[in-house]
Amino acid sequence: MPKMFITGGSRGIGAELVFAAARRGWDVAFTYRSQESAAKSVEECARELHPEGTFVSFALDVRDAAAIDGVADQVLERLDGVDAVICNAGITTNEMAYAMTDASWSDVIDTNLGGSFRVSRAFLPELVAQRRGSIIMMSSVVSDGASGQAAYAASKAGLHGLAKSLAKEYGPKGVRTNILVPGYFETDMTRDQMTSQLREFATAYCPQRRMGALEELSAAALFLASEDSAFVNGATLRVTGGLDWAP
Ligand code: NDP
């Protein structure tokens, strides 16, 4: 059975990634920051989808390097290795740059960019040792910049540099790193942070005239995670319905 590790699997996109992996016969370890009961429900649903599979969740704050290393060790033990690592956990705030505090800036950068770096670093020794594996960074259509999203956009743009560097450093050792760029999807993040104007933009300016369905994103993630994409490395896969920018 192939094995996957996902950060932020308790809700939204991460939870759908767990389900999609379960439907395709993967074993999955995933994390949550604080919502333990949501994570346990995701585990149960995944078990219903794939009763023979292993599904296990861990509490983890991706801002905590020592905790990441500890969880990585436990994941490798529980799953007996790992084939794909998806750096999905992320946060955003809606703040104009002139009013953004250092704390707010650091929190977003440290979670989205720092967390993805630390998680990749923790699993790279295992992936390199087995000379096989896939790392996926969860970027955003906002990575090219958006009003009120300076920290979030900077964190997501940083992921592109990180992913392409890992692709070059570890491609020769059989480890692929790719970037997924979601457009707009219905989750707690978009429910909490999208204004009605942005919601209108996300459908009116999207060539497909709608927001995405979570299954459409997880299908792309599973492609990058699996050997179906064995010669795809350092690539950016946009799942945006053709929407190229954010206002
Ligand atoms: P949600 O807010 O619905 O879920 C966020 C997840 O990340 C939760 O599982 C949460 O855990 C976890 N998390 C948050 N902070 C931390 C932390 N410090 N350490 C560990 N885990 C943490 O977000 P989405 O599902 O919408 O987004 C998932 C990813 O996709 C993010 O990286 C986001 O930027 C990206 N994305 C989303 C888009 C969308 O339209 N929804 C568009 C483009 C990109 P807990 O449940 O315990 O709080």
Side-chain angles (χ1 to χ4, degrees):
M1 286 298 149
K3 299 144 194 175
M4 181 179 289
F5 175 69
I6 305 168
T7 59
S10 44
R11 293 184 279 137
I13 289 170
E16 167 52 29
L17 292 174
V18 177
F19 301 145
R23 283 193 291 267
R24 287 165 177 77
W26 291 63
D27 292 335
V28 185
F30 66 94
T31 70
Y32 59 93
R33 180 185 43 182
S34 55
Q35 301 208 17
E36 183 177 6
S37 61
K40 293 297 165 203
S41 306
V42 170
E43 272 185 39
E44 277 168 33
C45 291
R47 258 179 230 116
E48 279 171 26
L49 292 166
H50 177 35
E52 298 81 36
T54 301
F55 302 98
V56 54
S57 62
F58 298 90
L60 176 69
D61 188 327
V62 294
R63 293 169 299 184
D64 183 341
I68 288 174
D69 291 342
V71 165
D73 288 344
Q74 292 180 66
V75 168
L76 293 173
E77 197 183 316
R78 286 295 298 275
L79 296 188
D80 193 21
V82 72
D83 299 288
V85 173
I86 307 189
C87 301
N88 166 74
I91 56 168
T92 189
T93 58
N94 236 333
E95 292 170 275
M96 300 303 276
Y98 78 91
M100 191 180 292
T101 61
D102 282 347
S104 189
W105 168 268
S106 301
D107 199 24
V108 173
I109 298 287
D110 203 27
T111 303
N112 299 358
L113 180 56
S116 299
F117 163 66
R118 287 185 284 269
V119 166
S120 311
R121 182 179 61 186
F123 283 97
L124 271 165
E126 175 73 14
L127 298 175
V128 167
Q130 68 195 20
R131 298 192 82 78
R132 174 178 46 81
S134 165
I135 299 173
I136 300 170
M137 303 292 176
M138 196 63 76
S139 178
S140 165
V141 67
V142 169
S143 63
D144 287 333
S147 178
Q149 295 286 314
Y152 183 74
S155 73
K156 295 297 187 181
L159 286 179
H160 290 245
L162 171 61
K164 288 178 184 195
S165 301
L166 297 185
K168 288 177 179 164
E169 264 182 44
Y170 300 101
K173 300 185 190 317
V175 181
R176 303 178 292 109
T177 307
N178 292 293
I179 306 148
L180 206 48
V181 176
Y184 292 96
F185 292 81
E186 204 66 63
T187 66
D188 290 345
M189 181 180 277
T190 42
R191 273 187 286 274
D192 295 347
Q193 301 286 345
M194 273 176 103
T195 59
S196 53
Q197 294 99 310
L198 181 57
R199 200 167 276 280
E200 218 169 280
F201 164 88
T203 48
Y205 284 81
C206 174
Q208 288 190 235
R209 300 287 185 271
R210 63 176 175 86
M211 288 172 68
L214 291 175
E215 300 76 28
E216 294 167 334
L217 185 58
S218 62
L222 264 290
F223 166 69
L224 291 178
S226 72
E227 290 298 301
D228 288 348
S229 59
F231 200 48
V232 181
N233 186 33
T236 303
L237 179 51
R238 300 179 67 87
V239 188
T240 64
L243 184 68
D244 285 333
W245 63 289

